[in-house]
Amino acid sequence: LAERVGFVWERAIARYRDKKTGRFVSEFNLVQLQTDFTDNARVNIGNITERLIAGDLDVGAWQRQFAQELKDTYVVNYQIARGGKNAMTQADYGRIGGRLKSEFGYLDNFAKEVASGNLTPEQIRARANQYVAGTRTAYYDGKTAANKAAGLTQERRILHPAEHCEDCIEFASQGWQPIGTLPEPGTGSRCRHNCKCEKIYRGAEANK
């Protein structure tokens, strides 16, 4: 996706450059690209969920389409942060596969609850939306991998204005840690996919 909009990846510094202007792409613009794609998935999942609730789609078909949307969104979010499709390695796809295996397990349980009739339409909609929010984790998976490949060695969790859980506050209090040590935002904390934290990175020399 990043390549299609004219961004060129510079592996040595883990940043994109705009092919037209020659300028570096800001984190704000990169996150906006990721957010726009995720919002599109949110609409698609919302549509198939409404069809499920209306009785126009059976649970099995809904689950298959839901899983495909999740897979596509996890892959693209990861690729955006990682440096595009050409920067991907087998290890990267393995990380995505690990995330999806867990999410598909949750989705299977979700589908069973839907089929049992134990959930109201409002509960179904709310839970479906949480899966979309969780795809943000893939962005930080890719971002960590890209910065590690560029030789950066440290990472830090940053709290943005929000009501944070105790776990995220604890992660942020640890300051700079070896890269890959801290969980990605959206994982490892009780707020799960509601997490509003961010990760930043640096090389060890920045601490001298």
Side-chain angles (χ1 to χ4, degrees):
L1 182 62
E3 297 99 323
R4 292 206 300 268
V5 297
F7 295 167
V8 179
W9 182 248
E10 296 200 8
R11 180 182 181 278
I13 55 175
R15 291 195 67 181
Y16 285 102
R17 193 183 292 276
D18 190 304
K19 188 182 295 186
K20 290 184 178 179
T21 66
R23 297 176 180 173
F24 286 119
V25 177
S26 69
E27 178 68 9
F28 175 84
N29 288 335
L30 203 57
V31 170
Q32 189 60 56
L33 183 66
Q34 175 260 334
T35 300
D36 288 346
F37 187 87
T38 302
D39 284 346
N40 184 63
R42 191 186 308 278
V43 170
N44 292 341
I45 287 176
N47 287 339
I48 63 172
T49 299
E50 289 305 320
R51 291 178 61 200
L52 169 76
I53 292 170
D56 297 330
L57 201 63
D58 65 48
V59 175
W62 168 79
Q63 184 178 355
R64 288 191 296 272
Q65 292 181 39
F66 199 130
Q68 188 61 54
E69 285 290 338
L70 279 183
K71 179 180 178 180
D72 292 345
T73 309
Y74 266 83
V75 170
V76 171
N77 281 356
Y78 190 106
Q79 287 179 346
I80 289 173
R82 182 64 178 88
K85 188 175 181 179
N86 292 334
M88 297 287 287
T89 66
Q90 285 303 115
D92 293 315
Y93 286 110
R95 291 189 194 98
I96 296 171
R99 293 288 189 201
L100 286 172
K101 183 179 180 180
S102 176
E103 289 299 299
F104 289 165
Y106 291 131
L107 179 59
D108 191 51
N109 290 333
F110 182 19
K112 289 175 181 176
E113 288 191 66
V114 171
S116 69
N118 292 333
L119 301 177
T120 67
E122 290 74 19
Q123 289 173 322
I124 293 172
R125 293 184 184 103
R127 284 182 60 171
N129 194 52
Q130 282 296 304
Y131 284 85
V132 182
T135 63
R136 176 172 173 261
T137 299
Y139 178 82
Y140 281 101
D141 277 333
K143 195 172 178 65
T144 297
N147 281 279
K148 189 173 183 179
L152 276 68
T153 58
Q154 297 180 331
E155 64 182 11
R156 184 174 185 175
R157 286 279 292 262
I158 300 295
L159 301 177
H160 288 299
E163 185 176 344
H164 295 283
C165 72
E166 293 179 5
D167 297 319
C168 288
I169 293 172
E170 169 59 24
F171 294 142
S173 73
Q174 294 178 33
W176 292 103
Q177 296 292 322
I179 195 166
T181 301
L182 299 170
E184 309 299 351
T187 66
S189 58
R190 65 197 72 184
C191 62
R192 298 191 71 242
H193 296 337
N194 291 316
C195 183
K196 304 300 182 185
C197 296
E198 180 187 0
K199 254 191 183 183
I200 58 174
Y201 308 84
R202 72 178 185 182
E205 66 279 359
N207 196 32
K208 296 179 179 178

